[in-house]
Amino acid sequence: MSAKHMKTDPELLKALRAVEAMPDDQIVTDDETPEIHDWSHAERGRFYRPRKIQKTVRFDADVVAFFEKDGPGYQTRMNNALREIMNRALRNNVPTKTGSKSAQPPRRGKSMHV
């Protein structure tokens, strides 16, 4: 546990570090918080937040306009759409790179060929 990641007062941090250093069999828990035996209503991944990276990418202007038209949060909506495609591909065991341009799906929208 590092202090720079904790937003807590120093006295609580000291107590947490003391408990962290103790062997599990010496930690006393009180009965105010009962042990959970039924996990049937638990939600997997509820508190999971994927690590974000900054990346420069180029999108077609009409794609960006589509996501921007609903206002702030367009990058999150784009990420959610890409995540949905990724999850579908993972479920269906679809490769992400085909290796040849002819196997790629046709682009929608205006073509930039001269």
Side-chain angles (χ1 to χ4, degrees):
M1 179 180 344
S2 92
K4 70 179 182 177
H5 296 299
M6 297 282 302
K7 292 183 180 178
T8 188
D9 65 271
E11 201 160 311
L12 178 59
L13 186 58
K14 183 179 175 182
L16 288 171
R17 285 196 173 132
V19 171
E20 185 179 44
M22 294 172 68
D24 288 346
D25 61 345
Q26 291 183 7
I27 298 174
V28 178
T29 58
D30 39 72
D31 296 328
E32 291 179 29
T33 309
E35 188 174 338
I36 298 172
H37 295 283
D38 177 17
W39 290 92
S40 61
H41 299 292
E43 295 178 45
R44 183 180 294 249
R46 180 176 179 187
F47 299 106
Y48 171 71
R49 296 190 74 180
R51 183 177 68 91
K52 305 287 186 188
I53 62 167
Q54 185 171 346
K55 192 79 171 175
T56 300
V57 296
R58 297 175 66 86
F59 294 105
D60 294 337
D62 59 332
V63 172
V64 175
F66 172 81
F67 285 97
E68 284 183 328
K69 73 178 170 44
D70 292 327
Y74 75 94
Q75 290 176 327
T76 299
R77 290 188 294 276
M78 291 175 81
N79 189 70
N80 291 342
L82 289 168
R83 180 168 293 284
E84 186 178 321
I85 293 166
M86 178 191 77
N87 287 335
R88 189 177 320 128
L90 290 171
R91 277 192 306 273
N92 298 327
N93 211 12
V94 175
T96 57
K97 188 173 182 179
T98 60
S100 71
K101 286 196 175 241
S102 62
Q104 294 179 357
R107 288 182 54 178
R108 294 182 185 177
K110 295 181 179 180
S111 175
M112 297 298 285
H113 297 290
V114 180

